[in-house]
PDB file of all heavy atoms in Angstrom:
ATOM      1  N   THR A 200     177.077  81.179  98.375  1.00 98.00           N
ATOM      2  CA  THR A 200     176.777  80.046  99.198  1.00 98.00           C
ATOM      3  C   THR A 200     177.914  79.886 100.291  1.00 98.00           C
ATOM      4  O   THR A 200     177.910  78.923 101.036  1.00 98.00           O
ATOM      5  CB  THR A 200     176.623  78.706  98.490  1.00 98.00           C
ATOM      6  OG1 THR A 200     177.825  78.573  97.550  1.00 98.00           O
ATOM      7  CG2 THR A 200     175.369  78.739  97.633  1.00 98.00           C
ATOM      8  N   GLN A 203     175.689  84.487 101.947  1.00 98.00           N
ATOM      9  CA  GLN A 203     174.394  85.145 102.161  1.00 98.00           C
ATOM     10  C   GLN A 203     173.092  84.422 101.701  1.00 98.00           C
ATOM     11  O   GLN A 203     172.002  84.900 101.704  1.00 98.00           O
ATOM     12  CB  GLN A 203     174.387  86.488 101.500  1.00 98.00           C
ATOM     13  CG  GLN A 203     174.555  86.427  99.996  1.00 98.00           C
ATOM     14  CD  GLN A 203     174.937  87.700  99.333  1.00 98.00           C
ATOM     15  OE1 GLN A 203     175.998  88.254  99.724  1.00 98.00           O
ATOM     16  NE2 GLN A 203     174.110  88.200  98.406  1.00 98.00           N
ATOM     17  N   ILE A 204     173.346  83.228 101.105  1.00 98.00           N
ATOM     18  CA  ILE A 204     172.160  82.472 100.578  1.00 98.00           C
ATOM     19  C   ILE A 204     171.044  82.359 101.580  1.00 98.00           C
ATOM     20  O   ILE A 204     169.789  82.433 101.221  1.00 98.00           O
ATOM     21  CB  ILE A 204     172.584  81.109  99.960  1.00 98.00           C
ATOM     22  CG1 ILE A 204     173.201  81.429  98.560  1.00 98.00           C
ATOM     23  CG2 ILE A 204     171.454  80.137  99.879  1.00 98.00           C
ATOM     24  CD1 ILE A 204     172.206  81.718  97.465  1.00 98.00           C
ATOM     25  N   PRO A 205     171.335  82.223 102.880  1.00 98.00           N
ATOM     26  CA  PRO A 205     170.268  82.100 103.906  1.00 98.00           C
ATOM     27  C   PRO A 205     169.259  83.291 103.836  1.00 98.00           C
ATOM     28  O   PRO A 205     168.115  83.215 103.984  1.00 98.00           O
ATOM     29  CB  PRO A 205     170.948  81.973 105.244  1.00 98.00           C
ATOM     30  CG  PRO A 205     172.196  81.293 104.894  1.00 98.00           C
ATOM     31  CD  PRO A 205     172.621  81.956 103.537  1.00 98.00           C
ATOM     32  N   HIS A 206     169.826  84.579 103.604  1.00 98.00           N
ATOM     33  CA  HIS A 206     169.045  85.662 103.552  1.00 98.00           C
ATOM     34  C   HIS A 206     168.112  85.594 102.288  1.00 98.00           C
ATOM     35  O   HIS A 206     166.886  85.828 102.434  1.00 98.00           O
ATOM     36  CB  HIS A 206     169.821  86.935 103.225  1.00 98.00           C
ATOM     37  CG  HIS A 206     170.685  87.399 104.488  1.00 98.00           C
ATOM     38  ND1 HIS A 206     170.512  88.475 105.185  1.00 98.00           N
ATOM     39  CD2 HIS A 206     171.858  86.850 104.827  1.00 98.00           C
ATOM     40  CE1 HIS A 206     171.303  88.670 106.098  1.00 98.00           C
ATOM     41  NE2 HIS A 206     172.233  87.657 105.899  1.00 98.00           N
ATOM     42  N   HIS A 207     168.618  85.149 101.155  1.00 98.00           N
ATOM     43  CA  HIS A 207     167.776  85.007  99.988  1.00 98.00           C
ATOM     44  C   HIS A 207     166.584  83.958 100.196  1.00 98.00           C
ATOM     45  O   HIS A 207     165.538  84.192  99.743  1.00 98.00           O
ATOM     46  CB  HIS A 207     168.592  84.628  98.776  1.00 98.00           C
ATOM     47  CG  HIS A 207     169.632  85.685  98.488  1.00 98.00           C
ATOM     48  ND1 HIS A 207     169.365  87.001  98.159  1.00 98.00           N
ATOM     49  CD2 HIS A 207     171.005  85.619  98.453  1.00 98.00           C
ATOM     50  CE1 HIS A 207     170.460  87.694  97.885  1.00 98.00           C
ATOM     51  NE2 HIS A 207     171.429  86.869  98.099  1.00 98.00           N
ATOM     52  N   TYR A 208     167.027  82.922 100.876  1.00 98.00           N
ATOM     53  CA  TYR A 208     165.995  81.843 101.162  1.00 98.00           C
ATOM     54  C   TYR A 208     164.914  82.408 101.976  1.00 98.00           C
ATOM     55  O   TYR A 208     163.718  82.308 101.708  1.00 98.00           O
ATOM     56  CB  TYR A 208     166.691  80.696 102.031  1.00 98.00           C
ATOM     57  CG  TYR A 208     165.854  79.606 102.318  1.00 98.00           C
ATOM     58  CD1 TYR A 208     165.924  78.398 101.533  1.00 98.00           C
ATOM     59  CD2 TYR A 208     164.911  79.657 103.389  1.00 98.00           C
ATOM     60  CE1 TYR A 208     165.011  77.305 101.904  1.00 98.00           C
ATOM     61  CE2 TYR A 208     164.064  78.567 103.660  1.00 98.00           C
ATOM     62  CZ  TYR A 208     164.133  77.443 102.933  1.00 98.00           C
ATOM     63  OH  TYR A 208     163.320  76.329 103.292  1.00 98.00           O
ATOM     64  N   ALA A 209     165.200  83.167 103.117  1.00 98.00           N
ATOM     65  CA  ALA A 209     164.193  83.710 104.029  1.00 98.00           C
ATOM     66  C   ALA A 209     163.373  84.709 103.258  1.00 98.00           C
ATOM     67  O   ALA A 209     162.131  84.778 103.380  1.00 98.00           O
ATOM     68  CB  ALA A 209     164.932  84.246 105.264  1.00 98.00           C
ATOM     69  N   SER A 368     174.496  83.786 109.420  1.00 98.00           N
ATOM     70  CA  SER A 368     174.235  83.081 108.192  1.00 98.00           C
ATOM     71  C   SER A 368     174.984  81.869 107.975  1.00 98.00           C
ATOM     72  O   SER A 368     174.556  80.860 107.475  1.00 98.00           O
ATOM     73  CB  SER A 368     174.522  84.135 106.975  1.00 98.00           C
ATOM     74  OG  SER A 368     173.461  85.054 106.900  1.00 98.00           O
ATOM     75  N   THR A 370     176.154  79.435 109.503  1.00 98.00           N
ATOM     76  CA  THR A 370     176.021  78.460 110.597  1.00 98.00           C
ATOM     77  C   THR A 370     175.048  77.355 110.074  1.00 98.00           C
ATOM     78  O   THR A 370     174.452  77.413 108.944  1.00 98.00           O
ATOM     79  CB  THR A 370     175.289  79.078 111.756  1.00 98.00           C
ATOM     80  OG1 THR A 370     173.836  79.114 111.554  1.00 98.00           O
ATOM     81  CG2 THR A 370     175.763  80.467 112.139  1.00 98.00           C
ATOM     82  N   GLU A 371     174.851  76.298 110.864  1.00 98.00           N
ATOM     83  CA  GLU A 371     174.058  75.133 110.485  1.00 98.00           C
ATOM     84  C   GLU A 371     172.591  75.518 110.299  1.00 98.00           C
ATOM     85  O   GLU A 371     171.802  74.693 109.785  1.00 98.00           O
ATOM     86  CB  GLU A 371     174.289  74.035 111.442  1.00 98.00           C
ATOM     87  CG  GLU A 371     175.381  73.017 111.022  1.00 98.00           C
ATOM     88  CD  GLU A 371     176.112  72.385 112.044  1.00 98.00           C
ATOM     89  OE1 GLU A 371     175.674  72.212 113.155  1.00 98.00           O
ATOM     90  OE2 GLU A 371     177.268  72.074 111.803  1.00 98.00           O
ATOM     91  N   HIS A 372     172.199  76.600 110.868  1.00 98.00           N
ATOM     92  CA  HIS A 372     170.765  77.070 110.718  1.00 98.00           C
ATOM     93  C   HIS A 372     170.675  78.503 110.234  1.00 98.00           C
ATOM     94  O   HIS A 372     169.952  79.275 110.799  1.00 98.00           O
ATOM     95  CB  HIS A 372     170.115  76.932 112.131  1.00 98.00           C
ATOM     96  CG  HIS A 372     170.079  75.493 112.710  1.00 98.00           C
ATOM     97  ND1 HIS A 372     169.150  74.599 112.263  1.00 98.00           N
ATOM     98  CD2 HIS A 372     170.875  74.901 113.537  1.00 98.00           C
ATOM     99  CE1 HIS A 372     169.330  73.430 112.852  1.00 98.00           C
ATOM    100  NE2 HIS A 372     170.371  73.607 113.604  1.00 98.00           N
ATOM    101  N   GLY A 373     171.504  78.765 109.218  1.00 98.00           N
ATOM    102  CA  GLY A 373     171.557  80.085 108.682  1.00 98.00           C
ATOM    103  C   GLY A 373     170.187  80.590 108.192  1.00 98.00           C
ATOM    104  O   GLY A 373     169.803  81.745 108.485  1.00 98.00           O
ATOM    105  N   ALA A 374     169.450  79.806 107.416  1.00 98.00           N
ATOM    106  CA  ALA A 374     168.172  80.201 106.852  1.00 98.00           C
ATOM    107  C   ALA A 374     167.121  80.470 108.050  1.00 98.00           C
ATOM    108  O   ALA A 374     166.460  81.348 108.058  1.00 98.00           O
ATOM    109  CB  ALA A 374     167.679  79.227 105.825  1.00 98.00           C
ATOM    110  N   LEU A 375     167.207  79.501 108.964  1.00 98.00           N
ATOM    111  CA  LEU A 375     166.324  79.560 110.176  1.00 98.00           C
ATOM    112  C   LEU A 375     166.560  80.884 110.889  1.00 98.00           C
ATOM    113  O   LEU A 375     165.681  81.633 111.229  1.00 98.00           O
ATOM    114  CB  LEU A 375     166.530  78.405 111.041  1.00 98.00           C
ATOM    115  CG  LEU A 375     165.539  78.126 112.240  1.00 98.00           C
ATOM    116  CD1 LEU A 375     164.190  77.955 111.695  1.00 98.00           C
ATOM    117  CD2 LEU A 375     166.062  76.878 113.063  1.00 98.00           C
ATOM    118  N   ILE A 414     163.572  78.132  95.027  1.00 97.00           N
ATOM    119  CA  ILE A 414     164.239  77.210  95.937  1.00 97.00           C
ATOM    120  C   ILE A 414     164.069  75.824  95.347  1.00 97.00           C
ATOM    121  O   ILE A 414     162.884  75.329  95.163  1.00 97.00           O
ATOM    122  CB  ILE A 414     163.556  77.241  97.326  1.00 97.00           C
ATOM    123  CG1 ILE A 414     163.666  78.671  97.967  1.00 97.00           C
ATOM    124  CG2 ILE A 414     164.186  76.220  98.311  1.00 97.00           C
ATOM    125  CD1 ILE A 414     162.976  78.861  99.356  1.00 97.00           C
ATOM    126  N   LEU A 424     171.235  68.230  97.318  1.00 98.00           N
ATOM    127  CA  LEU A 424     171.504  69.509  98.095  1.00 98.00           C
ATOM    128  C   LEU A 424     170.541  70.522  97.776  1.00 98.00           C
ATOM    129  O   LEU A 424     169.982  70.507  96.566  1.00 98.00           O
ATOM    130  CB  LEU A 424     172.966  69.923  97.816  1.00 98.00           C
ATOM    131  CG  LEU A 424     174.097  69.134  98.472  1.00 98.00           C
ATOM    132  CD1 LEU A 424     175.443  69.769  97.930  1.00 98.00           C
ATOM    133  CD2 LEU A 424     173.976  69.034  99.989  1.00 98.00           C
ATOM    134  N   PRO A 425     170.248  71.493  98.638  1.00 98.00           N
ATOM    135  CA  PRO A 425     169.460  72.609  98.171  1.00 98.00           C
ATOM    136  C   PRO A 425     170.111  73.511  97.113  1.00 98.00           C
ATOM    137  O   PRO A 425     171.369  73.612  97.048  1.00 98.00           O
ATOM    138  CB  PRO A 425     169.282  73.526  99.409  1.00 98.00           C
ATOM    139  CG  PRO A 425     169.898  72.710 100.539  1.00 98.00           C
ATOM    140  CD  PRO A 425     170.757  71.719  99.877  1.00 98.00           C
ATOM    141  N   SER A 426     169.326  74.059  96.248  1.00 98.00           N
ATOM    142  CA  SER A 426     169.808  74.975  95.287  1.00 98.00           C
ATOM    143  C   SER A 426     168.945  76.182  95.192  1.00 98.00           C
ATOM    144  O   SER A 426     167.825  76.167  94.748  1.00 98.00           O
ATOM    145  CB  SER A 426     169.813  74.272  93.831  1.00 98.00           C
ATOM    146  OG  SER A 426     170.290  75.115  92.886  1.00 98.00           O
ATOM    147  N   ILE A 427     169.467  77.286  95.723  1.00 97.00           N
ATOM    148  CA  ILE A 427     168.737  78.593  95.780  1.00 97.00           C
ATOM    149  C   ILE A 427     169.173  79.473  94.613  1.00 97.00           C
ATOM    150  O   ILE A 427     170.303  79.663  94.472  1.00 97.00           O
ATOM    151  CB  ILE A 427     168.956  79.336  97.180  1.00 97.00           C
ATOM    152  CG1 ILE A 427     168.921  78.349  98.378  1.00 97.00           C
ATOM    153  CG2 ILE A 427     167.924  80.344  97.323  1.00 97.00           C
ATOM    154  CD1 ILE A 427     167.748  77.499  98.615  1.00 97.00           C
ATOM    155  N   GLU A 430     171.970  78.301  92.361  1.00 97.00           N
ATOM    156  CA  GLU A 430     173.349  78.105  92.829  1.00 97.00           C
ATOM    157  C   GLU A 430     173.563  76.688  93.350  1.00 97.00           C
ATOM    158  O   GLU A 430     172.664  76.259  94.076  1.00 97.00           O
ATOM    159  CB  GLU A 430     173.660  79.038  93.970  1.00 97.00           C
ATOM    160  CG  GLU A 430     173.432  80.496  93.577  1.00 97.00           C
ATOM    161  CD  GLU A 430     174.788  81.200  93.541  1.00 97.00           C
ATOM    162  OE1 GLU A 430     175.799  80.595  93.935  1.00 97.00           O
ATOM    163  OE2 GLU A 430     174.791  82.407  93.154  1.00 97.00           O
ATOM    164  N   ILE A 431     174.655  76.080  93.000  1.00 98.00           N
ATOM    165  CA  ILE A 431     175.035  74.859  93.671  1.00 98.00           C
ATOM    166  C   ILE A 431     175.914  75.164  94.830  1.00 98.00           C
ATOM    167  O   ILE A 431     176.853  75.996  94.691  1.00 98.00           O
ATOM    168  CB  ILE A 431     175.735  73.892  92.605  1.00 98.00           C
ATOM    169  CG1 ILE A 431     174.897  73.698  91.405  1.00 98.00           C
ATOM    170  CG2 ILE A 431     176.033  72.558  93.236  1.00 98.00           C
ATOM    171  CD1 ILE A 431     175.523  73.021  90.260  1.00 98.00           C
ATOM    172  N   PRO A 432     175.658  74.560  96.005  1.00 98.00           N
ATOM    173  CA  PRO A 432     176.429  74.983  97.098  1.00 98.00           C
ATOM    174  C   PRO A 432     177.943  74.774  96.814  1.00 98.00           C
ATOM    175  O   PRO A 432     178.432  73.693  96.483  1.00 98.00           O
ATOM    176  CB  PRO A 432     175.945  74.065  98.246  1.00 98.00           C
ATOM    177  CG  PRO A 432     174.508  73.821  97.828  1.00 98.00           C
ATOM    178  CD  PRO A 432     174.601  73.654  96.346  1.00 98.00           C
ATOM    179  N   PHE A 741     177.331  72.228 106.882  1.00 98.00           N
ATOM    180  CA  PHE A 741     176.555  73.182 106.012  1.00 98.00           C
ATOM    181  C   PHE A 741     175.074  73.314 106.569  1.00 98.00           C
ATOM    182  O   PHE A 741     174.618  72.490 107.358  1.00 98.00           O
ATOM    183  CB  PHE A 741     176.633  72.898 104.543  1.00 98.00           C
ATOM    184  CG  PHE A 741     176.016  71.517 104.289  1.00 98.00           C
ATOM    185  CD1 PHE A 741     174.665  71.390 103.758  1.00 98.00           C
ATOM    186  CD2 PHE A 741     176.805  70.382 104.360  1.00 98.00           C
ATOM    187  CE1 PHE A 741     174.136  70.214 103.514  1.00 98.00           C
ATOM    188  CE2 PHE A 741     176.192  69.048 104.075  1.00 98.00           C
ATOM    189  CZ  PHE A 741     174.850  69.066 103.670  1.00 98.00           C
ATOM    190  N   ASP A 742     174.410  74.400 106.072  1.00 98.00           N
ATOM    191  CA  ASP A 742     173.040  74.666 106.395  1.00 98.00           C
ATOM    192  C   ASP A 742     172.153  73.769 105.603  1.00 98.00           C
ATOM    193  O   ASP A 742     172.115  73.822 104.386  1.00 98.00           O
ATOM    194  CB  ASP A 742     172.720  76.067 106.131  1.00 98.00           C
ATOM    195  CG  ASP A 742     171.268  76.490 106.398  1.00 98.00           C
ATOM    196  OD1 ASP A 742     170.554  75.775 107.092  1.00 98.00           O
ATOM    197  OD2 ASP A 742     170.826  77.539 105.866  1.00 98.00           O
ATOM    198  N   ARG A 743     171.421  72.873 106.199  1.00 98.00           N
ATOM    199  CA  ARG A 743     170.583  71.864 105.506  1.00 98.00           C
ATOM    200  C   ARG A 743     169.573  72.550 104.561  1.00 98.00           C
ATOM    201  O   ARG A 743     169.189  71.994 103.561  1.00 98.00           O
ATOM    202  CB  ARG A 743     169.831  70.916 106.514  1.00 98.00           C
ATOM    203  CG  ARG A 743     170.716  70.009 107.270  1.00 98.00           C
ATOM    204  CD  ARG A 743     171.191  68.834 106.336  1.00 98.00           C
ATOM    205  NE  ARG A 743     172.234  68.032 106.962  1.00 98.00           N
ATOM    206  CZ  ARG A 743     173.493  68.213 107.119  1.00 98.00           C
ATOM    207  NH1 ARG A 743     174.026  69.348 106.653  1.00 98.00           N
ATOM    208  NH2 ARG A 743     174.273  67.337 107.719  1.00 98.00           N
ATOM    209  N   LEU A 744     169.048  73.708 104.944  1.00 98.00           N
ATOM    210  CA  LEU A 744     168.036  74.331 104.096  1.00 98.00           C
ATOM    211  C   LEU A 744     168.563  75.080 102.841  1.00 98.00           C
ATOM    212  O   LEU A 744     167.871  75.190 101.852  1.00 98.00           O
ATOM    213  CB  LEU A 744     167.253  75.383 104.886  1.00 98.00           C
ATOM    214  CG  LEU A 744     166.272  74.846 105.959  1.00 98.00           C
ATOM    215  CD1 LEU A 744     165.546  75.957 106.615  1.00 98.00           C
ATOM    216  CD2 LEU A 744     165.366  73.777 105.415  1.00 98.00           C
ATOM    217  N   THR A 745     169.756  75.461 102.891  1.00 98.00           N
ATOM    218  CA  THR A 745     170.330  76.271 101.813  1.00 98.00           C
ATOM    219  C   THR A 745     171.565  75.803 101.266  1.00 98.00           C
ATOM    220  O   THR A 745     172.050  76.254 100.139  1.00 98.00           O
ATOM    221  CB  THR A 745     170.629  77.760 102.263  1.00 98.00           C
ATOM    222  OG1 THR A 745     171.648  77.678 103.277  1.00 98.00           O
ATOM    223  CG2 THR A 745     169.375  78.351 102.813  1.00 98.00           C
ATOM    224  N   GLY A 746     172.326  74.911 101.880  1.00 98.00           N
ATOM    225  CA  GLY A 746     173.613  74.457 101.406  1.00 98.00           C
ATOM    226  C   GLY A 746     174.669  75.453 101.725  1.00 98.00           C
ATOM    227  O   GLY A 746     175.873  75.228 101.329  1.00 98.00           O
ATOM    228  N   ASN A 747     174.349  76.522 102.387  1.00 98.00           N
ATOM    229  CA  ASN A 747     175.467  77.540 102.777  1.00 98.00           C
ATOM    230  C   ASN A 747     176.520  76.904 103.696  1.00 98.00           C
ATOM    231  O   ASN A 747     176.118  76.121 104.548  1.00 98.00           O
ATOM    232  CB  ASN A 747     174.849  78.694 103.476  1.00 98.00           C
ATOM    233  CG  ASN A 747     175.634  80.027 103.388  1.00 98.00           C
ATOM    234  OD1 ASN A 747     175.471  80.762 102.424  1.00 98.00           O
ATOM    235  ND2 ASN A 747     176.651  80.100 104.282  1.00 98.00           N
ATOM    236  N   ALA A 748     177.705  77.279 103.399  1.00 98.00           N
ATOM    237  CA  ALA A 748     178.823  76.745 104.211  1.00 98.00           C
ATOM    238  C   ALA A 748     178.680  77.210 105.635  1.00 98.00           C
ATOM    239  O   ALA A 748     178.309  78.264 105.893  1.00 98.00           O
ATOM    240  CB  ALA A 748     180.186  77.190 103.694  1.00 98.00           C
TER     241      ALA A 748
END
Side-chain angles (χ1 to χ4, degrees):
T200 52
Q203 67 195 53
I204 280 285
H206 291 253
H207 299 302
Y208 182 103
S368 286
T370 78
E371 267 147 25
H372 297 281
L375 189 61
I414 299 177
L424 289 175
S426 175
I427 320 299
E430 299 250 352
I431 306 175
F741 61 96
D742 176 19
R743 290 285 174 283
L744 289 185
T745 63
N747 203 92

